[in-house]
C-alpha cells in the first residue's frame, strides 16, 4: 500500500533538505552517516529532480524568493513542507516498481498537486535504514513562486497567487490522498483506502519496525 506522510518544517536551512536527499542518513536519528574520513557518503541509488528550480541550488533559490516577498524570515514560520509517498515493499516484485518508475509517479504527483512552488522530488530505493522500501520525498518551499490557475483544492484567491504560503486544509489533504490513490490504482500498485481511518493506530516507531 502507498501511504502519504506530511511534515511541516520551521528549519530555515533549506540546504539540509538537499543533504538529506543526496547523502546516507541514519533514519532513526536523522544524522548523516560518515565514512572513515568524516565525510558524508552519497546514497547508493537516488533520483533527484527540481520543479521551478535547479535541485542543486534549491536552497539559494528559496532564500531569494523569501527575501523578495519578505516571508519566512521569523523563527515560528513554516519554511517548507515535506511530503513522503511510501510504496508497499511488495510492489517491487509484484508490480515491477523501480526507482525510475516511482520517481516518474512522484514528479507527476508534485506537478499536479503543488503547482507554482519550488520543489525537490527525490526517490530513494533503500527504505528506512536499508529495508528496501521504495519511497519518494517531495519538499516544497512553503512560499509560492508563481501564480496558478484555480484548482479544485484551492479555497481562497490568495491560494493561487505568488508570494503566499502553502495552505494545507483537511479538504486539501483529502484531495492529496485521493490523488495518490488514483495514481497507484491506475499503475496497478498495491493500495488501500487512505480516506478511511485505520481501525488500529500505530506509532512512528512501530511503522518503521
Amino acid at each position: 500500500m502507498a501511504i502519504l506522510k506530511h511534515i511541516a518544517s520551521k528549519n530555515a536551512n533549506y540546504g539540509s533538505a538537499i543533504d538529506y536527499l543526496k547523502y546516507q542518513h541514519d533514519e532513526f536519528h536523522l544524522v548523516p552517516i560518515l565514512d572513515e574520513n568524516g565525510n558524508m557518503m552519497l546514497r547508493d541509488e537516488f533520483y533527484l529532480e527540481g520543479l521551478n528550480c535547479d535541485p542543486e541550488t534549491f536552497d539559494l533559490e528559496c532564500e531569494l524568493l523569501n527575501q523578495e516577498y519578505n516571508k519566512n524570515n521569523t523563527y515560528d514560520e513554516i519554511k517548507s513542507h515535506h511530503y513522503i509517498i511510501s510504496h508497499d515493499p511488495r510492489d517491487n516484485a509484484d508490480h515491477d516498481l523501480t526507482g525510475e518508475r516511482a520517481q516518474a509517479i512522484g514528479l507527476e504527483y508534485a506537478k499536479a498537486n503543488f503547482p507554482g512552488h519550488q520543489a525537490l522530488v527525490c526517490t530513494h530505493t533503500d527504505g528506512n535504514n536499508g529495508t528496501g522500501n521504495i519511497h519518494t520525498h517531495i519538499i516544497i518551499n512553503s512560499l509560492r513562486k508563481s501564480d496558478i490557475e484555480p484548482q479544485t483544492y484551492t479555497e481562497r484567491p490568495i491560494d493561487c497567487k505568488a508570494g503566499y504560503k502553502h495552505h494545507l486544509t483537511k479538504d486539501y489533504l483529502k484531495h492529496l490522498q485521493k490523488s495518490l490513490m488514483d495514481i497507484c490504482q491506475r499503475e496497478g500498485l498495491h493500495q488501500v483506502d487512505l480516506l478511511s481511518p485505520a481501525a488500529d493506530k500505530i506509532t512512528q516507531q512501530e511503522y518503521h519496525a
Side-chain angles (χ1 to χ4, degrees):
M1 60 180 180
I3 62 172
L4 180 69
K5 182 177 180 179
H6 168 255
I7 303 168
S9 173
K10 296 180 180 179
N11 185 0
N13 181 10
Y14 291 93
S16 63
I18 302 175
D19 288 343
Y20 175 78
L21 296 178
K22 293 176 60 176
Y23 296 97
Q24 297 180 37
H25 277 65
D26 180 320
E27 301 294 344
F28 288 107
H29 302 99
L30 296 180
V31 295
I33 299 174
L34 306 179
D35 63 17
E36 62 275 9
N37 297 315
N39 299 314
M40 292 191 297
M41 300 183 293
L42 282 173
R43 294 181 183 269
D44 293 332
E45 183 180 2
F46 67 94
Y47 304 86
L48 175 64
E49 296 175 76
L51 297 178
N52 301 312
C53 68
D54 183 320
E56 297 298 332
T57 57
F58 172 75
D59 51 348
L60 177 60
E61 293 182 48
C62 289
E63 291 165 5
L64 289 174
L65 185 69
N66 293 343
Q67 291 174 15
E68 179 181 350
Y69 288 99
N70 194 30
K71 299 283 184 68
N72 285 337
N73 53 11
T74 62
Y75 171 79
D76 61 347
E77 286 187 89
I78 294 175
K79 313 301 189 304
S80 63
H81 291 268
H82 186 171
Y83 291 88
I84 306 171
I85 298 172
S86 186
H87 293 281
D88 192 314
R90 295 176 297 171
D91 282 325
N92 301 16
D94 292 354
H95 302 126
D96 299 318
L97 183 67
T98 63
E100 295 97 327
R101 187 179 173 199
Q103 178 71 358
I105 290 171
L107 279 171
E108 176 186 350
Y109 184 85
K111 290 177 180 178
N113 294 299
F114 311 114
H117 284 275
Q118 298 153 308
L120 294 176
V121 181
C122 184
T123 296
H124 295 158
T125 59
D126 54 358
N128 290 301
N129 285 331
T131 59
N133 165 237
I134 295 177
H135 58 283
T136 301
H137 299 268
I138 302 172
I139 300 176
I140 68 170
N141 185 4
S142 62
L143 191 66
R144 190 175 298 102
K145 181 179 181 179
S146 57
D147 294 343
I148 63 171
E149 293 295 322
Q151 306 293 319
T152 57
Y153 51 80
T154 52
E155 299 182 358
R156 309 168 303 176
I158 62 172
D159 293 333
C160 303
K161 299 296 183 181
Y164 288 92
K165 305 287 283 289
H166 179 63
H167 183 55
L168 183 62
T169 63
K170 289 184 179 180
D171 287 342
Y172 193 175
L173 180 58
K174 288 180 180 179
H175 166 84
L176 293 175
Q177 293 168 328
K178 180 65 163 54
S179 177
L180 178 59
M181 290 167 56
D182 288 345
I183 292 177
C184 288
Q185 289 168 356
R186 184 197 71 195
E187 294 295 315
L189 302 176
H190 288 293
Q191 187 54 50
V192 294
D193 185 0
L194 298 177
L195 301 178
S196 298
D200 298 314
K201 302 293 184 181
I202 64 173
T203 66
Q204 184 70 7
Q205 289 76 15
E206 289 172 330
Y207 166 74
H208 283 300

